[in-house]
């Protein structure tokens, strides 16, 4: 589905000047994180994200002219940082399929916000050094199973697990550590691999996070029955190695943290289905073609690219972003029902995961 994008000047009136007061949305949430999607393309076809039946040869990905240039992304990111954003995350699609991504990393790292990247790890071994040298702080690598056959089936690109592990190890070796490793758990597909995943990374210094399978987009055929609640993940792991909860690192942290009582480090669970964390959500999303989305489950966005390309000043853009945030009242995960799960939503590969 091509997303609905509202022109930012829908009412033909520029947003009122933002007065520089603390920027909060309609539910009093501050804007702290910006997720930047740098491409809608991916070299994987994960069955729960970009199912091959939909994202096949007939799918039209964005043409180069439609996607923001690195200079445009960097300009917007600078404005966001000026509005209080302290964390920038590059994502996609698969961000490392965008050529010369390290150049964008270099431009963004000069802004002083924490800068991270989410990747499927397939191209990480060959890019890790350049990313680190350009100023990237850390990486999060998606890895749904250590079992090669299961992993190849889930990425549906016949990509071997060993190459992703090599990417994780290279990233750690160049200092992009600790690496966070994200496993999306789908019942009957990879839930038997929860405990082996925990075992592989216990004591490594890296942090595995188990993510509840979500009803993002409209193509993955999501059903509640496929979700393994995080409580069950914690129960299965702690039967083998007892766990205790630990404090969040900061207000609004998405992952709930648990530590191994035997001192082998920590893991995280992300429970966006069974324990929604909308009330602490401080994230804005910038799509590949320069639209703003105030929620992962949004049905429409706000067009910033037109503003950029028709020569708007930094102040105008800043006022528009502030106005979008001030109107924000999304809390999709808190009001999710079987019915809302069927709504047409923007695909995660487009909006940026
Ligand atoms: N290609 C990169 C990657 O694989 O990490 C970045 C984009 S991907 C959309 C970002 C994250 O979203 C991945 O960790 C992926 O597993 C997760 N994801 C995608 N679809 C999901 C779903 N339906 N439920 C939960 N997580 C999902």
């Amino acid at each position: 589905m091509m997303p609905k994008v509202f022109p930012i000047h829908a009412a033909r009136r520029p947003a009122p000047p933002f007065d520089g007061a603390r920027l909060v949305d309609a539910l009093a949430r501050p804007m702290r994180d910006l997720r930047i999607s740098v491409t809608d393309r991916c070299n994987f076809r994960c069955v729960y994200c970009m199912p091959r039946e939909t994202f096949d040869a007939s799918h039209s990905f964005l043409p180069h002219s439609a996607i923001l240039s690195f200079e445009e992304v960097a300009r917007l990111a600078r404005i966001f940082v000026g509005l209080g954003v302290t964390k920038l995350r590059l994502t996609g699609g698969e961000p490392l399929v965008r050529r010369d991504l390290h150049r964008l990393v270099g431009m963004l790292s000069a802004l002083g916000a924490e800068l991270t990247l989410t990747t499927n790890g397939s191209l990480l071994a060959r890019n890790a050094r350049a990313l680190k040298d350009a100023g990237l702080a850390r990486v999060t690598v998606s890895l749904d199973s250590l079992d090669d056959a299961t992993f190849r089936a889930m990425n549906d690109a016949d990509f071997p697990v060993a190459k992703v592990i090599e990417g994780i190890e290279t990233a750690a070796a160049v200092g992009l550590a600790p690496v966070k490793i994200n496993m999306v758990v789908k019942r009957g597909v990879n839930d038997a691999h929860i405990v082996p995943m925990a075992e592989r990374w216990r004591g490594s210094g890296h942090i595995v996070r188990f993510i509840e399978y979500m009803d993002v987009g409209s193509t993955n055929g999501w059903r509640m029955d496929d979700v393994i609640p995080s409580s069950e993940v914690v129960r299965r792991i702690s039967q083998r190695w007892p766990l205790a909860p630990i404090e969040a690192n900061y207000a609004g942290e998405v992952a709930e943290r648990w530590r191994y009582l035997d001192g082998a480090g920590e893991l995280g669970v992300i429970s966006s289905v069974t324990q929604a964390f909308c009330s602490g959500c401080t994230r804005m999303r910038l799509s590949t073609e320069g639209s703003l989305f105030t929620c992962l489950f949004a049905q429409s966005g706000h067009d910033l690219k037109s503003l950029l390309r028709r020569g708007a000043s930094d102040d105008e853009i800043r006022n528009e972003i502030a106005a979008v945030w001030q109107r924000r009242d999304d809390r999709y995960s808190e009001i999710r029902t079987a019915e809302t799960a069927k709504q047409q939503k923007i695909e995660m590969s487009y909006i940026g995961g």
Side-chain angles (χ1 to χ4, degrees), residues 35 39 41-44 46-50 90-96 117-121 140-144 181-185 211-217 220 222 272-273 296-297 347-353:
R35 300 202 165 202
T39 179
R41 292 165 200 256
C42 187
N43 53 345
F44 283 11
C46 297
V47 288
Y48 55 79
C49 186
M50 289 182 83
L90 297 176
T91 179
E94 170 48 41
L96 293 179
L117 168 86
T118 299
T119 173
N120 63 26
T140 297
V141 179
S142 305
L143 177 60
D144 294 331
I181 298 160
N182 279 356
M183 171 174 173
V184 175
V185 183
I211 304 180
E212 287 178 351
Y213 170 49
M214 295 183 288
D215 52 327
V216 284
N220 67 6
W222 182 89
S272 54
V273 177
L296 180 56
F297 300 93
E347 295 302 322
M348 198 164 179
S349 53
Y350 171 86
I351 203 174

Side-chain angles (χ1 to χ4, degrees), residues 20 52 57 75 78 84 91 149 151-152 159 163 173 211 225-226 234 236 259-260 284 286 302 305 320 326 337:
R52 199 170 274 286
R75 179 174 175 211
R78 180 170 46 74
T91 179
F151 184 67
R152 286 177 193 255
F159 196 85
K163 290 281 287 176
I211 304 180
D225 290 353
D226 295 331
V234 169
R236 288 197 203 177
R259 73 181 167 86
Y260 291 104
M284 183 78 109
L286 177 64
H302 307 264
K305 183 174 66 186
E320 295 297 351
Q326 283 167 326
T337 61

Side-chain angles (χ1 to χ4, degrees), residues 32-328:
R32 291 276 176 263
D33 316 66
L34 177 65
R35 300 202 165 202
I36 303 170
S37 175
V38 293
T39 179
D40 60 336
R41 292 165 200 256
C42 187
N43 53 345
F44 283 11
R45 286 290 175 274
C46 297
V47 288
Y48 55 79
C49 186
M50 289 182 83
R52 199 170 274 286
E53 311 82 84
T54 307
F55 295 91
D56 58 9
S58 67
H59 179 79
S60 4
F61 290 98
L62 295 168
H64 198 71
S65 58
I67 72 180
L68 295 188
S69 67
F70 288 166
E71 287 69 21
E72 288 171 325
V73 171
R75 179 174 175 211
L76 290 177
R78 180 170 46 74
I79 296 171
F80 273 100
V81 170
L83 282 167
V85 161
T86 54
K87 278 178 81 172
L88 301 172
R89 175 175 296 279
L90 297 176
T91 179
E94 170 48 41
L96 293 179
V97 303
R98 178 101 185 237
R99 189 176 304 159
D100 295 333
L101 191 73
H102 62 276
R103 219 168 52 74
L104 177 62
V105 168
M107 294 159 89
L108 298 180
S109 68
L111 301 176
E114 185 185 346
L115 181 59
T116 62
L117 168 86
T118 299
T119 173
N120 63 26
S122 59
L123 303 169
L124 188 54
R126 72 168 89 135
N127 284 292
R129 167 53 66 194
L131 293 168
K132 173 69 184 171
D133 290 350
L136 191 71
R138 282 185 298 97
V139 284
T140 297
V141 179
S142 305
L143 177 60
D144 294 331
S145 177
L146 293 165
D147 174 72
D148 195 54
T150 308
F151 184 67
R152 286 177 193 255
M154 286 186 81
N155 66 53
D156 202 12
D158 204 26
F159 196 85
V161 73
K163 290 281 287 176
V164 176
I165 293 175
E166 185 193 340
I168 293 171
E169 284 166 354
T170 311
V174 303
L176 292 169
V179 178
K180 290 188 179 156
I181 298 160
N182 279 356
M183 171 174 173
V184 175
V185 183
K186 193 169 172 193
R187 189 182 298 280
V189 175
N190 64 342
D191 63 304
H193 307 151
I194 294 170
V195 171
M197 184 67 80
E199 180 165 35
R200 172 68 174 78
W201 303 108
R202 268 169 48 82
S204 69
H206 307 315
I207 303 170
V208 185
R209 287 121 45 101
F210 298 90
I211 304 180
E212 287 178 351
Y213 170 49
M214 295 183 288
D215 52 327
V216 284
S218 311
T219 58
N220 67 6
W222 182 89
R223 293 178 321 134
M224 187 64 202
D225 290 353
D226 295 331
V227 178
I228 301 266
S230 294
S231 54
E232 189 176 332
V233 171
V234 169
R235 189 180 50 72
R236 288 197 203 177
I237 298 172
S238 54
Q239 275 170 354
R240 179 87 176 271
W241 304 284
L243 294 167
I246 35 181
E247 286 287 300
N249 285 309
Y250 51 88
E253 187 173 24
V254 165
E256 188 186 291
R257 300 170 66 208
W258 293 79
R259 73 181 167 86
Y260 291 104
L261 289 182
D262 65 4
E266 69 175 87
L267 58 80
V269 289
I270 301 182
S271 324
S272 54
V273 177
T274 62
Q275 281 173 277
F277 37 79
C278 304
S279 62
C281 181
T282 58
R283 276 174 295 286
M284 183 78 109
R285 294 182 141 81
L286 177 64
S287 78
T288 316
E289 57 177 340
S291 296
L292 275 185
F293 291 87
T294 52
C295 177
L296 180 56
F297 300 93
Q299 293 178 284
S300 60
H302 307 264
D303 175 19
L304 278 190
K305 183 174 66 186
S306 309
L307 270 188
L308 277 175
R309 294 195 178 172
R310 68 159 194 260
S313 69
D314 283 3
D315 275 352
E316 270 177 84
I317 296 172
R318 193 176 78 116
N319 294 341
E320 295 297 351
I321 295 171
V324 168
W325 189 264
Q326 283 167 326
R327 286 197 299 270
R328 174 188 194 247

